[in-house]
Amino acid sequence: MEARNLLYIFSFNNSNIVRKFLYRILLFGVIFIANALFIFLIDPYNIFFNSNFIEDEIKIININRSDEAMPRANALWKLNEYSKTPKSNIIIGDSRSRHIDVNIIKNLTGEEYYNFGVPGGNYNLIRDIFWLADSKTDLKNVFIQVGFLNYNKFRNYDVYKLVMPYTKNPFRMFFKAWFSFDSFYALLYKIFPEYRNEVITSEEDNQKMNISRWNEVLDKQGYSVLKKYAYPNNYYTELLKIAEYCRQKDINLRFLVFPNHPDFFKIVSELNLEDERERFKADIHGLANTFDFNFDNAITNNKDLFIDLYHTKQCIIDSITNDIWGIKNPGIIMSKYSLESASEGL
Amino acid sequence: MSLAVNLGLLGFFKYYNFFIDSFVESFAEVGVNLSYHSLQIILPVGISFYTFQTLSYTIDIYRKNIEPTKDIVAFFAFVGFFPQLVAGPIERAKNLIPQFTAPRKFDYHKAKDGLKQILWGLFKKVMIADNIGPYVDDIFAHSDVYSGSTLLLGIIYFAFQIYCDFSGYSDIAIGVAKLFGFDLMRNFAYPYFSRDIGEFWRRWHISLSTWFRDYLYIPLGGSRVGTWKKIRNIIIIFTVSGFWHGANWTFVAWGFLNGLYFIPLMLIGKNRVNTGITSEGKIIPGIKVILQIGITFILTLFAWIFFRADTIGHAFQYIGGIFSESLFIIPENFKRYFYLPLILVVIEWVYRDKDHPLRDLKFPAWIRWPFYYVLIYCILNLGGSQESFIYFQF
């Protein structure tokens, strides 16, 4: 058979027109190339080359700029940061554990912890982060912050699955608008400090109790979520796997339950979910030693110590941190006395 | 020999377990329990498509419509042409093989049009089919608990899902082929604007419909026979067409039902009345056309229930669910993407005189390019979860 016959399928004999076609495609694609270059240079998650053009402090402000950005941005930032410098002590959880100050823990114990608290984190995220951390280093202390709200079959979104493709193949970021916006805001905060300060102020405002926000959380993250409840067999099974693995590998696993405001218990009661909540507590306590602050105590009864139903103020988080990591024998359940002392002077 | 090998492979991979299971179940109904072996067969992807393509080659040679090619590269390129290998359009040797052997020049306009068609195909697949697909799955999986109105919405969604999924793939395949300078046959021609079922089948999966017309319907005598034979022929080709989709009685029922829809039109000689562009030259169609389109769409919806259901029993349960008191309440939770089929219908209606809506847009570049960017943005950022093409399973 002639060579022409084998090659003709892929040959074009008018290269000028092909060149014109490719030139037009290039022209059309300039906007995509520029966008990719922009994301690459700003590098909002320090994934490409740890760009120093924008400081890490600004990038951290950027990842917390909005409720929409926070879950995925925190998850991506932390997954990337942890992968570069894994630590054997970790805290996994949601927005409540995000504010645990690892410097306090270092002062108390001399050990370095990595805080994997991700706003919007749920049991899928806990599972995935635990196994990812375990694959990166030999774990020693693992604190998992849990709550009843997400212990629900229907709370099955998966932030980890959402961001993991970008850590595996960062070039995918060039094709997702999220990262264009992230890069844009990072640059905006760098050039215009007043916008940056707005985010800081807004986060400070979020630390104050606000009745309209309280009611919004009560409705949207309380009633609306809990009215559709089913026991999460899969989550229990996953936690059990983690607990058994930790026992086998001699990893010190602890669960941590933050206090909720009594308004939350009212919802639980009104929706007849008290038995389910008790079952949650029994499940968690049965898996590993648990620091459970979610009982009727000096914190839970004081609305001034809460930002919303689920989030306590930073001073309470610091007190809890001191209580957990300050004691010599971690693993006992906190006494009512220690909680009262934690809230003294607030 | 060639027919036997082709049909034998298709029959073995696709229908062996179906026939064995059905045979044994039939005997079990009358109290005879047979022991048997079903095989763990993995269905080769796209087997129905390239088998039909090679069958047409053999039959066309037998009928002396084409000469057998002596060019082995061209032959295998025809059988395994990658853009349309797994889900069509089912090409004819007469159309495709000469394109492999002829000297080709890069055609700028064809390549540009190909890119636009790929873009439109991706938009239909990723933005529409993949976004509404999970809703359809949920509604069909829980059809026993959802209201009649939700079930109705579910089947409307499915009608658009399967259209966008399959015609999206065809557009991508045809567009990719155009980039390489090849012309594949048109596979969809805005089927939901059809004014009767006959027209629907001239606009839906055209490469398969014409295949059955040329290689099954006409050899059976087509419409040049007596009334009863005409009816028989119609029922045969529609039922076989359903069976081609998969080894399940639901597909057979879907095909049979479409055959039933078609028979009255054929008997009164009105199956080829509506052949042109629907309401050509008009932005808003007349009442009569709207009614015709509406009735045809409702008939196809009804048939899609059988196509999508897991079993015949499931299909009847679904239909029963629709026709209940809850048909008149507002559907639960699934309204979020209702705008997507509407956008599709509007765009396709406006450009229904073209092969695809992005061909030859009469706008300046400063409008066209941003429009393309918006489509690309939607595909990359607002698309649904990645799902395989429905027709890959066939």
Side-chain angles (χ1 to χ4, degrees):
Chain A
M1 182 166 293
E2 290 175 33
R4 187 193 68 84
N5 273 356
L6 288 170
L7 294 172
Y8 64 28
I9 290 168
F10 304 104
S11 67
F12 293 113
N13 52 5
N14 42 351
S15 55
N16 280 342
I17 300 175
V18 176
R19 256 202 297 276
K20 183 187 164 195
F21 181 70
L22 294 176
Y23 167 74
R24 294 279 289 183
I25 289 181
L26 193 69
L27 195 66
F28 183 78
V30 160
I31 194 166
F32 298 103
I33 296 166
N35 177 57
L37 205 62
F38 179 57
I39 294 171
F40 183 78
L41 291 175
I42 300 290
D43 197 8
Y45 297 96
N46 289 341
I47 282 183
F48 295 109
F49 65 109
N50 209 356
S51 160
N52 290 324
F53 174 60
I54 292 182
E55 299 81 358
D56 281 1
E57 293 74 26
I58 296 178
K59 289 178 181 174
I60 290 169
I61 291 168
N62 186 33
I63 63 174
N64 292 308
R65 70 175 185 273
S66 68
D67 288 346
E68 179 277 319
M70 258 199 263
R72 61 171 175 82
N74 270 272
L76 190 53
W77 177 273
K78 290 184 176 187
L79 285 170
N80 180 52
E81 190 175 58
Y82 185 82
S83 297
K84 284 178 184 167
T85 51
K87 292 187 170 67
S88 54
N89 305 311
I90 56 170
I91 302 160
I92 313 174
D94 57 31
S95 53
R96 288 170 282 191
S97 54
R98 180 168 76 102
H99 291 290
I100 292 176
D101 186 344
V102 289
N103 292 320
I104 295 177
I105 303 174
K106 193 173 180 190
N107 289 338
L108 292 168
T109 64
E111 299 210 57
E112 289 207 8
Y113 273 74
Y114 190 80
N115 188 337
F116 256 121
V118 172
N122 64 356
Y123 289 90
N124 285 327
L125 191 77
I126 288 170
R127 173 201 62 209
D128 293 333
I129 285 180
F130 174 82
W131 294 114
L132 176 102
D134 183 65
S135 71
K136 299 282 177 192
T137 188
D138 291 332
L139 293 172
K140 192 173 151 196
N141 291 299
V142 176
F143 282 76
I144 299 180
Q145 176 252 316
V146 291
F148 176 62
L149 183 75
N150 285 332
Y151 201 62
N152 181 348
K153 187 182 155 187
F154 295 108
R155 299 284 281 173
N156 57 359
Y157 55 87
D158 199 332
V159 178
Y160 184 87
K161 211 169 141 187
L162 202 66
V163 299
M164 205 50 199
Y166 304 101
T167 63
K168 284 186 179 161
N169 180 6
F171 295 103
R172 292 180 68 152
M173 292 167 71
F174 298 156
F175 303 100
K176 196 79 182 167
W178 285 341
F179 302 106
S180 307
F181 286 115
D182 290 343
S183 305
F184 168 77
Y185 279 108
L187 186 64
L188 185 79
Y189 297 151
K190 164 86 179 174
I191 299 170
F192 301 104
E194 58 269 32
Y195 288 108
R196 190 163 76 216
N197 294 335
E198 263 180 32
V199 178
I200 296 167
T201 314
S202 149
E203 215 173 344
E204 283 168 0
D205 286 346
N206 282 342
Q207 283 291 309
K208 295 170 193 161
M209 212 278 277
N210 169 321
I211 194 69
S212 67
R213 181 183 155 86
W214 186 280
N215 289 333
E216 191 187 329
V217 173
L218 191 74
D219 179 40
K220 289 188 179 162
Q221 290 168 43
Y223 279 106
S224 302
V225 172
L226 285 174
K227 71 182 179 190
K228 199 176 175 190
Y229 183 89
Y231 180 75
N233 281 310
N234 54 332
Y235 292 158
Y236 178 71
T237 311
E238 294 295 337
L239 290 176
L240 190 63
K241 268 189 215 162
I242 290 173
E244 281 172 0
Y245 180 81
C246 289
R247 259 192 293 280
Q248 280 169 19
K249 297 280 179 180
D250 213 17
I251 298 167
N252 181 28
L253 172 69
R254 297 287 180 269
F255 286 102
L256 167 60
V257 184
F258 272 105
N260 291 135
H261 186 267
D263 281 2
F264 176 72
F265 303 132
K266 271 187 212 160
I267 300 174
V268 170
S269 169
E270 281 172 28
L271 295 171
N272 294 318
L273 292 172
E274 280 151 329
D275 289 346
E276 282 77 5
R277 188 171 161 264
E278 285 305 316
R279 192 174 175 190
F280 157 73
K281 288 182 80 140
D283 283 355
I284 298 299
H285 284 255
L287 289 168
N289 284 331
T290 303
F291 294 92
D292 189 347
F293 295 85
N294 204 10
F295 60 92
D296 192 17
N297 60 51
I299 297 173
T300 55
N301 285 319
N302 188 349
K303 202 168 181 173
D304 291 339
L305 302 178
F306 283 84
I307 301 163
D308 57 44
L309 304 189
Y310 310 110
H311 298 90
T312 51
K313 288 184 175 167
Q314 186 61 42
C315 53
I316 296 298
I317 295 170
D318 290 347
S319 297
I320 287 172
T321 309
N322 274 299
D323 262 16
I324 295 171
W325 279 275
I327 59 176
K328 288 184 179 166
N329 182 23
I332 60 163
I333 295 173
M334 292 290 90
S335 68
K336 197 172 179 180
Y337 172 76
S338 68
L339 288 170
E340 280 164 355
S341 71
S343 64
E344 270 175 20
L346 296 168
Chain B
M1 173 79 175
S2 170
L3 295 187
V5 170
N6 274 307
L7 289 172
L9 286 172
L10 184 64
F12 173 73
F13 281 110
K14 198 161 176 175
Y15 301 108
Y16 173 83
N17 282 344
F18 171 76
F19 280 120
I20 290 284
D21 291 345
S22 299
F23 188 68
V24 170
E25 277 169 23
S26 307
F27 272 88
E29 289 288 317
V30 291
V32 180
N33 290 314
L34 300 175
S35 65
Y36 72 107
H37 294 284
S38 62
L39 302 176
Q40 299 295 315
I41 298 168
I42 298 172
L43 187 67
V45 70
I47 189 169
S48 307
F49 292 91
Y50 48 76
T51 302
F52 268 43
Q53 207 154 292
T54 43
L55 280 175
S56 76
Y57 174 75
T58 310
I59 298 168
D60 281 349
I61 289 172
Y62 177 77
R63 290 177 176 172
K64 301 196 188 313
N65 289 340
I66 55 167
E67 287 292 315
T69 178
K70 293 187 174 70
D71 188 334
I72 195 163
V73 173
F75 175 75
F76 280 110
F78 159 67
V79 177
F81 190 46
F82 77 92
Q84 43 84 256
L85 175 68
V86 289
I90 302 165
E91 271 302 332
R92 306 293 177 83
K94 196 176 179 179
N95 175 41
L96 201 50
I97 287 180
Q99 294 189 59
F100 288 116
T101 49
R104 284 174 302 112
K105 275 189 137 187
F106 180 79
D107 186 329
Y108 177 85
H109 295 287
K110 187 186 281 186
K112 196 169 88 170
D113 189 50
L115 280 179
K116 289 178 186 174
Q117 196 159 358
I118 293 170
L119 182 60
W120 184 244
L122 281 171
F123 179 78
K124 282 194 284 187
K125 163 65 182 158
V126 179
M127 184 66 192
I128 302 178
D130 286 355
N131 269 319
I132 57 181
Y135 282 9
V136 174
D137 292 345
D138 189 355
I139 294 170
F140 269 84
H142 304 102
S143 55
D144 52 336
V145 294
Y146 284 126
S147 65
S149 55
T150 305
L151 297 182
L152 181 62
L153 188 64
I155 195 59
I156 293 172
Y157 275 158
F158 178 67
F160 284 98
Q161 185 202 1
I162 194 160
Y163 169 63
C164 290
D165 190 287
F166 191 20
S167 73
Y169 177 86
S170 294
D171 280 338
I172 295 166
I174 295 166
V176 170
K178 279 180 185 169
L179 279 178
F180 288 90
F182 291 90
D183 288 311
L184 299 183
M185 71 182 294
R186 196 179 184 191
N187 217 14
F188 289 85
Y190 310 112
Y192 291 143
F193 300 145
S194 303
R195 289 152 288 186
D196 60 58
I197 282 292
E199 188 182 20
F200 177 82
W201 280 104
R202 287 190 296 278
R203 290 169 175 270
W204 178 274
H205 202 174
I206 298 164
S207 63
L208 182 71
S209 308
T210 51
W211 196 100
F212 277 116
R213 182 197 65 199
D214 294 346
Y215 301 109
L216 187 61
Y217 183 65
I218 292 173
L220 285 171
S223 56
R224 292 161 193 258
V225 287
T227 305
W228 289 110
K229 280 195 173 173
K230 267 190 208 170
I231 293 172
R232 179 203 68 182
N233 292 348
I234 291 297
I235 292 294
I236 286 174
I237 65 152
F238 275 102
T239 308
V240 171
S241 167
F243 198 50
W244 173 90
H245 285 82
N248 194 328
W249 289 111
T250 52
F251 295 123
V252 176
W254 170 75
F256 181 75
L257 194 55
N258 275 288
L260 290 185
Y261 292 161
F262 190 81
I263 287 168
L265 279 178
M266 190 199 59
L267 291 180
I268 58 172
K270 294 208 167 177
N271 55 315
R272 296 198 70 85
V273 173
N274 297 311
T275 51
I277 295 162
T278 310
S279 291
E280 190 170 10
K282 290 182 183 170
I283 283 290
I284 299 178
I287 298 288
K288 186 186 167 197
V289 173
I290 291 174
L291 278 174
Q292 286 174 325
I293 292 174
I295 291 167
T296 309
F297 185 64
I298 289 168
L299 289 173
T300 55
L301 281 186
F302 192 70
W304 283 134
I305 295 173
F306 287 90
F307 191 94
R308 178 59 181 78
D310 299 327
T311 60
I312 295 283
H314 183 208
F316 280 115
Q317 178 265 318
Y318 196 98
I319 293 163
I322 291 178
F323 294 106
S324 62
E325 284 176 9
S326 57
L327 178 60
F328 302 102
I329 65 171
I330 294 170
E332 300 98 338
N333 298 329
F334 298 106
K335 299 178 290 285
R336 187 174 165 199
Y337 290 118
F338 199 70
Y339 71 95
L340 287 174
L342 290 179
I343 289 173
L344 177 88
V345 167
V346 170
I347 293 177
E348 292 211 331
W349 177 259
V350 173
Y351 295 104
R352 65 194 181 283
D353 57 337
K354 299 182 189 332
D355 274 8
H356 62 89
L358 303 190
R359 169 175 278 184
D360 302 326
L361 290 178
K362 304 285 181 216
F363 295 106
W366 64 269
I367 293 179
R368 273 186 288 121
W369 281 33
F371 179 61
Y372 300 145
Y373 287 133
V374 168
L375 291 183
I376 293 170
Y377 176 86
C378 291
I379 291 164
L380 293 175
N381 293 288
L382 305 176
S385 54
Q386 205 173 345
E387 301 214 3
S388 179
F389 286 94
I390 294 173
Y391 265 67
F392 278 13
Q393 64 187 295
F394 305 137

